[in-house]
Amino acid sequence: MEVKNKYIVIKHQIKDAPKVSNLEVKTGTIVLSLASGSDDIIIKNLRYAINFDTFIAIDGVVVGKVVASGNAKFKKDDLVLGVFTCAEYSLIKEESILRKLESVTIPIYGTEVLGFNGLSAYAGFFELCKPQKGEKVFVSTASGAVGNLAGQYAKLLGCYVVGCAGSQRKVRYFPDGIDIYFDNVGGEMLEAAVASMRIFGRVAVCGVISEYTGGGKKASPNMLEIVYKRINIRGFLAADFLNVFEDFFAKTLDYLRTGKLEVIEDISLGVESIPSASVGLFKGENIGKKIINLAEE
Amino acid sequence: MEVKNKYIVIKHQIKDAPKVSNLEVKTGTIVLSLASGSDDIIIKNLRYAINFDTFIAIDGVVVGKVVASGNAKFKKDDLVLGVFTCAEYSLIKEESILRKLESVTIPIYGTEVLGFNGLSAYAGFFELCKPQKGEKVFVSTASGAVGNLAGQYAKLLGCYVVGCAGSQRKVRYFPDGIDIYFDNVGGEMLEAAVASMRIFGRVAVCGVISEYTGGGKKASPNMLEIVYKRINIRGFLAADFLNVFEDFFAKTLDYLRTGKLEVIEDISLGVESIPSASVGLFKGENIGKKIINLAEE
């Protein structure tokens, strides 16, 4: 059976600010059955998670359902999670990019939390910052996909947490100073956080939204304070912390199952909504993870 | 026996740039013998090491010779090392600030290397940066008291080392990028180093000479590069690394005894030279550690 298949391509590389016209929705066709002997897997995609690098590489975290499988590890109707190009249907030739969701008893809407967004928040907070209960934690873009999780992890540990979404005035909520800053924005917010930091303060630099589009002021943190307060500023990528993935996954799954961790998502419908949703991410329009629902389960 | 005793005081707190007139040489008197039952120690100071915080706290690393001692741990003519106010003679009431040099067979001119300058270089390089043989190391103010030691430690480990004293052009000597930057200056040099850094690069921020006097441009390192290259920027004070002091001391003493580590000093004579030598430090006039010789051994 051949069906139409909408998918997204990068039409123009971005210069300066990303625009809707950088991405294009195309329509192709896909056959939903496999030739005899094939070990491919065909997925009907249910949802797609928008990332900041959508404009550079269109791959994202996709949750889908197996339509047909020549691979013994996957069978029809299995729910799977993987990182690949967004489309209504995907033909997967490399089984290693898929993870089965059969053992996950939470609703699929929480799956991104168990992926790189969650790992970013988990590794940045726990592995880089080595937090202690009672420490003062500041999170920028606390309503974003990673920031909201970092804030929730910090609360679950028993930290005093202040999040902000747009204004460095929130730093003033820390009369005694900040121990940990989970930084997603850079710029003046980073300067304000460093200025408010206590000795041995730690900054996990997860993102630099203020600089993604080239317009924002660059951060000039006070280096003298960095020396005297022995501040540690460290950039990181979640991919460097696959060694703690199992710990992260088990703990976070438990938090999700017991309702201790809240999943915050911002949902749009259909492949057609990807270009505007991707641009919206840079404008801070989303509250929680930006998700595209592609089909009902 | 009472003798005259020249000493240094802070006359005016510094504003903006430090000036010779911020410090004042005074002359008092001191009795060179102790009352019966006293456990004080009187030191004739031989040399004084100038630090960047001379204008804030006049204490420095002093090497001296015991003139009289009521303390059983020290006897007349012992060579001692301590951190206290610079003067020709000092009356010490707290034995814990003194360290005996009797077991040290190197010339006393190397003693600052075995103090906080050495520990700064050692801890900043080895403990913060976790260097590997063959890595590319950049040191700013490489002719300074700490920088020259950091560079020497890096060479002894088998790193490729480039030092600079004043110009960020030296960063271009690293076509393949820098693994470790031992930063003493901040400002544009730090920006240049971050821009040239390889992934998992480490910056040990030991000092920020460009900002000490308020005039220099503040560093705006590229935070996007800090994320993508997972750069770690960490301020530190040697005092936080007393746990490695014994290791540092034993290794460095061995390097000094075997001539592998070169002691680089810049010497002026007499208490009167302290104000101008202290100002000169901020102008980068010294090559190696700035030392004031107070008396011959």
Side-chain angles (χ1 to χ4, degrees):
Chain A
M1 185 178 93
E2 187 179 87
V3 298
K4 284 192 177 170
N5 186 23
K6 284 187 195 153
Y7 60 101
I8 281 280
V9 294
I10 297 172
K11 193 173 176 187
H12 306 294
Q13 293 299 319
I14 51 167
K15 302 168 192 167
D16 306 324
K19 295 189 194 73
V20 168
S21 59
N22 292 121
L23 302 178
E24 186 177 6
V25 181
K26 291 204 166 190
T27 304
T29 59
I30 185 169
V31 175
L32 295 184
S33 55
L34 293 166
S36 171
S38 161
D39 56 0
D40 294 348
I41 305 148
I42 299 172
I43 314 283
K44 180 183 185 184
N45 297 321
L46 304 177
R47 42 190 267 136
Y48 170 73
I50 304 265
N51 287 308
F52 279 106
D53 43 9
T54 296
F55 291 94
I56 298 158
I58 199 68
D59 289 2
V61 175
V62 180
V63 172
K65 201 174 207 171
V66 175
V67 172
S69 173
N71 182 307
K73 291 190 189 157
F74 298 92
K75 62 179 196 301
K76 187 170 184 304
D77 293 337
D78 278 351
L79 281 177
V80 291
L81 176 76
V83 176
F84 43 88
T85 298
C86 182
E88 290 176 313
Y89 295 90
S90 300
L91 179 69
I92 305 297
K93 293 181 166 292
E94 176 49 68
E95 64 165 58
S96 68
I97 68 168
L98 288 183
R99 189 185 182 96
K100 255 163 117 169
L101 289 181
E102 62 183 349
S103 64
V104 181
T105 60
I106 55 158
I108 62 161
Y109 71 80
T111 44
E112 278 75 25
V113 171
L114 295 168
F116 267 33
N117 285 150
L119 185 59
S120 287
Y122 184 91
F125 181 62
F126 290 107
E127 296 296 309
L128 267 74
C129 298
K130 306 288 181 200
Q132 300 292 320
K133 186 178 170 179
E135 285 197 306
K136 313 292 191 290
V137 177
F138 180 57
V139 181
S140 58
T141 63
S143 65
V146 177
N148 92 77
L149 295 173
Q152 290 193 71
Y153 282 127
K155 276 195 170 174
L156 285 167
L157 183 68
C159 293
Y160 175 75
V161 186
V162 171
C164 77
S167 160
Q168 64 263 42
R169 286 196 297 272
K170 292 270 178 71
V171 173
R172 298 190 194 141
Y173 291 162
F174 292 87
D176 301 327
I178 298 168
D179 295 296
I180 290 171
Y181 173 39
F182 194 97
D183 183 18
N184 286 299
V185 299
E188 290 171 343
M189 193 82 81
L190 175 57
E191 294 174 15
V194 165
S196 295
M197 214 134 218
R198 301 167 79 162
I199 61 165
F200 297 109
R202 291 137 274 164
V203 180
V205 188
C206 180
V208 195
I209 296 171
S210 70
E211 291 184 22
Y212 285 166
T213 57
K217 181 185 172 299
K218 283 193 174 178
S220 296
N222 187 323
M223 298 304 296
L224 273 174
E225 295 199 85
I226 286 171
V227 176
Y228 291 131
K229 298 197 286 197
R230 292 84 122 188
I231 293 171
N232 190 355
I233 298 179
R234 190 168 157 199
F236 73 101
L237 297 178
D240 300 327
F241 291 93
L242 294 178
N243 61 315
V244 299
F245 190 88
E246 292 307 324
D247 278 351
F248 147 72
F249 194 87
K251 272 186 208 157
T252 305
L253 184 57
D254 186 59
Y255 283 147
L256 287 170
R257 281 177 172 156
T258 55
K260 288 179 181 164
L261 195 77
E262 192 184 350
V263 176
I264 304 173
E265 295 188 342
D266 186 325
I267 295 177
S268 298
L269 299 179
V271 170
E272 296 85 348
S273 66
I274 292 177
S276 62
S278 300
V279 170
L281 203 65
F282 286 85
K283 296 181 178 167
E285 289 175 356
N286 56 305
I287 303 214
K289 184 67 186 173
K290 185 68 210 177
I291 295 293
I292 309 298
N293 269 4
L294 300 166
E296 290 302 310
E297 191 180 344
Chain B
M1 186 176 91
E2 188 177 85
V3 298
K4 283 191 177 173
N5 186 24
K6 285 187 196 155
Y7 60 101
I8 281 280
V9 294
I10 296 172
K11 192 173 178 187
H12 305 294
Q13 293 299 319
I14 51 168
K15 301 169 191 167
D16 306 323
K19 295 189 194 73
V20 168
S21 60
N22 292 124
L23 302 179
E24 185 177 7
V25 181
K26 291 204 167 189
T27 303
T29 58
I30 186 168
V31 176
L32 296 184
S33 56
L34 293 166
S36 169
S38 162
D39 57 0
D40 294 348
I41 305 149
I42 299 172
I43 315 283
K44 180 182 185 185
N45 298 321
L46 304 178
R47 42 190 267 137
Y48 170 73
I50 304 265
N51 287 308
F52 280 105
D53 43 8
T54 296
F55 291 94
I56 298 158
I58 199 68
D59 289 2
V61 176
V62 179
V63 172
K65 201 173 207 174
V66 175
V67 171
S69 173
N71 182 309
K73 292 189 188 160
F74 298 92
K75 62 179 194 300
K76 188 168 184 305
D77 293 336
D78 278 351
L79 281 177
V80 291
L81 176 75
V83 176
F84 42 86
T85 298
C86 183
E88 289 175 314
Y89 294 91
S90 300
L91 179 69
I92 305 296
K93 294 181 166 291
E94 176 50 67
E95 65 164 57
S96 67
I97 69 168
L98 287 184
R99 188 184 182 95
K100 254 165 122 168
L101 289 182
E102 60 182 350
S103 64
V104 181
T105 59
I106 55 158
I108 63 161
Y109 72 83
T111 44
E112 278 75 26
V113 171
L114 295 168
F116 267 32
N117 284 150
L119 185 59
S120 287
Y122 184 90
F125 182 62
F126 290 107
E127 296 297 310
L128 267 74
C129 298
K130 307 287 181 200
Q132 300 292 319
K133 186 178 170 178
E135 285 197 308
K136 312 291 191 290
V137 177
F138 180 58
V139 181
S140 58
T141 62
S143 65
V146 177
N148 91 78
L149 295 174
Q152 291 193 71
Y153 281 128
K155 276 196 171 174
L156 285 167
L157 183 68
C159 294
Y160 174 75
V161 185
V162 171
C164 77
S167 160
Q168 64 263 40
R169 286 195 298 271
K170 293 271 179 73
V171 173
R172 298 189 196 142
Y173 291 161
F174 292 88
D176 302 327
I178 299 168
D179 296 296
I180 291 170
Y181 173 40
F182 194 99
D183 182 18
N184 286 300
V185 299
E188 290 171 344
M189 194 80 81
L190 174 58
E191 295 174 15
V194 165
S196 295
M197 214 135 218
R198 302 167 80 162
I199 61 165
F200 297 110
R202 291 137 274 164
V203 180
V205 188
C206 180
V208 195
I209 297 171
S210 70
E211 293 185 21
Y212 285 166
T213 57
K217 181 185 174 297
K218 283 194 174 177
S220 295
N222 186 323
M223 298 304 295
L224 273 174
E225 295 198 87
I226 286 171
V227 175
Y228 291 130
K229 299 198 285 197
R230 291 85 122 189
I231 292 171
N232 191 354
I233 298 179
R234 191 168 157 198
F236 73 100
L237 297 178
D240 300 328
F241 292 92
L242 294 178
N243 60 315
V244 299
F245 189 87
E246 292 307 324
D247 278 350
F248 147 72
F249 194 87
K251 273 187 207 159
T252 305
L253 184 56
D254 185 58
Y255 283 146
L256 287 169
R257 281 176 172 157
T258 54
K260 288 180 181 163
L261 196 78
E262 190 184 351
V263 176
I264 303 173
E265 296 188 341
D266 186 325
I267 294 178
S268 298
L269 298 179
V271 170
E272 296 84 347
S273 65
I274 292 177
S276 63
S278 300
V279 170
L281 203 63
F282 286 84
K283 295 181 178 166
E285 289 175 358
N286 57 305
I287 303 217
K289 184 66 189 174
K290 185 67 212 178
I291 295 293
I292 309 298
N293 269 4
L294 300 166
E296 290 303 309
E297 190 180 343

